[in-house]
Amino acid sequence: MEYYKRFTDKALDARLQSAGAVLIEGAKGCGKTETAMQIASSVVRFDADAQIKIMMDIDPGNVLKGAVPRLLDEWQEYPQIWNYVRREVDTRKQKGQFILTGSATPDDEAKRHSGAGRFSVIKMRTMSLYEKGWSSGEVSLAALMRGEAPTSEPVKFELGELAEKTTLGGWPGLIGVSANEGLRFVNDYVTLIAEADLSRVSKKKRDPYKVTRLLQSLARNISTEVSIAALSKDTWGSDADLDDETVIAYLSALERLMTTDNLPAWNTHIRSSSMLRKAPKRHFVDPSLAIGALGLSVDKVIADLNYFGLLFESLAIRDLRIYADSNGGKVYHYRDSHGLEIDTIVEYANGTWGAFEIKLGISAVDEAANNLLRLAVKIDTEKIQPPNALTVITGNGFAYRRPDGVNVVPLSTLTE
């Protein structure tokens, strides 16, 4: 199977030059192992090699012997290996010794000894539109954040085509397959989370029916700030609400599986008397999982354009996170007590930031641009710098800068 280059390739190469071990974390099926295999000289598969249990019982240090960089795939199956790697890095005093990949985060006890100074951590997401060849890459996020005006050729996705791409998501294993095959994949993915994976990472049997209902509730509320209480009521019904602590435990397990990828609120300085809201927006690691959780089809997605708009927002945020990660950026959302809401804020370590509204249809561009301009006025520029970019991301059209300074950029023209 052809390997599609990932932005993580560049990050992994750079991290191996500066750290003894690199940990790649990401959801099951996002492509961690294949990316690591492009540079690894030897590999240990903790989830597939029957000899590993014997080796770990007798002398775990032997597992680390081999050509470097040595890939320790699904290392969390034997989380005690973390400390052996840490000590081995200290002993060898060389860079680029190990790559660890994992699709679940072990509990804190498993990593009780810090890897500071030995490990570098990369968070890997599913593939962006650009990595899958579905974006022209004519508009660079980094260039937008430098204040450059975007340009591109017109793009035109029919709703059906865009719904199919959302259904297939960024899963490397779905490259070249039909939308129906993609639907089977995400349906099975969600089923396995409910029936096996959540109980495994929780180390406690979880009711698959209840897990499925929670996943469905998260899917219905994708791209929103739905509360724990609302999720509880939506999942189990008004006559059988689950207590908040149990809901939090389920959500924590989903985060450890890297199934969910919530968007935190932006904390910044504003001039107005508005209070900033702190609740995160709920997202899956890939919006296709919402489609799988609800058992939707491409036709059903198209039939509900309001919901399709929320899925498109989640798709765009996934891509913005991938592109921002490549340049050390972080992604947030903004909402204040006076009702102003901005879908995405991208902020770099040097203080450069930009605001993005995400609209499936180009008819909503004027309203979105007005929201961005309202935000720019609210910012206290004596404490933080003005935005370098105000941008509306759309499903179709072409990239340009409006007379008011707001950029309009189709998602399928973006890259890092």
Side-chain angles (χ1 to χ4, degrees):
M1 184 176 176
E2 179 187 358
Y3 178 74
Y4 281 61
K5 288 188 177 297
R6 309 290 295 273
F7 291 119
T8 306
D9 295 332
K10 180 175 62 176
L12 177 57
D13 185 63
R15 303 293 181 88
L16 286 170
Q17 304 299 317
S18 62
V22 178
L23 170 61
I24 307 176
E25 295 184 320
K28 178 176 60 181
C30 75
K32 302 178 301 298
T33 302
E34 286 303 312
T35 290
M37 287 292 291
Q38 304 308 304
I39 199 169
S41 297
S42 63
V43 60
V44 180
R45 299 185 184 276
F46 282 92
D47 64 336
D49 189 340
Q51 299 298 313
I52 291 298
K53 185 180 187 307
I54 299 172
M55 295 175 68
M56 291 297 295
D57 288 341
I58 296 173
D59 184 1
N62 280 330
V63 177
L64 305 182
K65 295 178 180 178
V68 299
R70 185 159 175 79
L71 170 59
L72 311 177
D73 189 38
E74 297 296 345
W75 73 276
Q76 78 281 351
E77 296 294 325
Y78 294 89
Q80 62 268 36
I81 199 66
W82 174 273
N83 289 326
Y84 285 91
V85 172
R86 181 182 61 84
R87 288 196 290 267
E88 190 67 19
V89 168
D90 285 345
T91 299
R92 296 184 187 184
K93 295 181 171 58
Q94 294 181 326
K95 308 300 183 186
Q97 297 300 293
F98 302 103
I99 305 170
L100 289 73
T101 57
S103 54
T105 304
D107 56 34
D108 291 338
E109 180 66 18
K111 292 198 295 183
R112 60 187 178 274
H113 295 296
S114 170
R118 295 96 162 179
F119 289 83
S120 182
V121 182
I122 298 173
K123 183 167 185 177
M124 189 171 185
R125 295 183 168 86
T126 56
M127 299 176 78
S128 64
L129 293 186
Y130 181 77
E131 289 169 304
K132 292 196 77 170
W134 291 343
S135 169
S136 66
E138 294 168 272
V139 179
S140 161
L141 175 62
L144 286 175
M145 295 290 285
R146 290 193 297 268
E148 297 178 18
T151 62
S152 78
E153 293 295 319
V155 294
K156 176 64 175 176
F157 277 135
E158 298 296 334
L159 282 178
E161 183 181 4
L162 192 54
E164 286 184 2
K165 292 187 183 306
T166 306
T167 299
L168 290 169
W171 308 103
L174 297 184
I175 292 175
V177 309
S178 68
N180 285 336
E181 290 176 280
L183 287 169
R184 283 194 292 272
F185 173 88
V186 292
N187 287 339
D188 291 344
Y189 196 108
V190 171
T191 298
L192 283 172
I193 289 170
E195 295 185 352
D197 292 345
L198 203 78
S199 295
R200 176 171 52 83
V201 299
S202 300
K203 297 181 181 178
K204 180 179 180 181
K205 179 63 178 175
R206 301 296 190 183
D207 185 339
Y209 174 75
K210 292 180 179 178
V211 177
T212 299
R213 291 290 302 273
L214 177 59
L215 289 167
Q216 290 171 341
S217 183
L218 288 168
R220 281 191 291 271
N221 292 284
I222 195 169
S223 301
T224 74
E225 299 167 72
V226 62
S227 67
I228 299 294
L231 286 172
S232 174
K233 189 169 184 177
D234 185 43
T235 302
W236 282 273
S238 58
D239 59 343
D241 290 353
L242 200 68
D243 65 90
D244 288 355
E245 288 186 5
T246 305
V247 173
I248 290 169
Y250 275 64
L251 292 174
S252 176
L254 289 172
E255 289 177 7
R256 287 178 56 198
L257 281 170
M258 301 172 217
T259 301
T260 55
D261 196 6
N262 295 330
L263 189 67
W266 193 40
N267 184 21
T268 192
H269 300 282
I270 54 177
R271 291 194 184 97
S272 74
S273 60
S274 301
M275 296 292 293
L276 296 176
R277 301 301 191 188
K278 302 299 184 183
K281 277 193 173 184
R282 307 284 179 182
H283 291 275
F284 288 98
V285 69
D286 195 283
S288 62
L289 294 181
I291 295 173
L294 295 175
L296 301 178
S297 64
V298 170
D299 288 342
K300 287 181 179 178
V301 170
I302 298 170
D304 188 343
L305 290 181
N306 287 332
Y307 186 66
F308 193 3
L310 295 173
L311 290 173
F312 181 73
E313 178 181 333
S314 191
L315 179 71
I317 287 170
R318 181 205 66 189
D319 279 14
L320 284 172
R321 281 173 145 168
I322 293 169
Y323 303 147
D325 280 349
S326 292
N327 293 291
K330 301 294 184 183
V331 180
Y332 308 91
H333 78 92
Y334 174 96
R335 183 166 175 258
D336 63 38
S337 58
H338 286 176
L340 179 59
E341 181 176 353
I342 302 297
D343 294 327
T344 307
I345 304 293
V346 176
E347 186 174 36
Y348 290 162
N350 64 2
T352 299
W353 66 279
F356 298 78
E357 282 276 74
I358 301 164
K359 301 299 176 186
L360 178 61
I362 58 176
S363 62
V365 166
D366 285 343
E367 179 184 355
N370 182 57
N371 284 345
L372 293 167
L373 293 169
R374 286 171 59 201
L375 173 66
V377 171
K378 282 194 170 191
I379 295 299
D380 187 346
T381 54
E382 293 183 359
K383 295 180 178 178
I384 65 168
Q385 65 187 57
N388 270 33
L390 301 174
T391 304
V392 183
I393 295 177
T394 62
N396 281 307
F398 60 94
Y400 66 98
R401 176 165 290 172
R402 292 161 46 110
D404 57 13
V406 175
N407 305 312
V408 179
V409 177
L411 181 60
S412 58
T413 65
L414 264 178
T415 185
E416 63 170 334

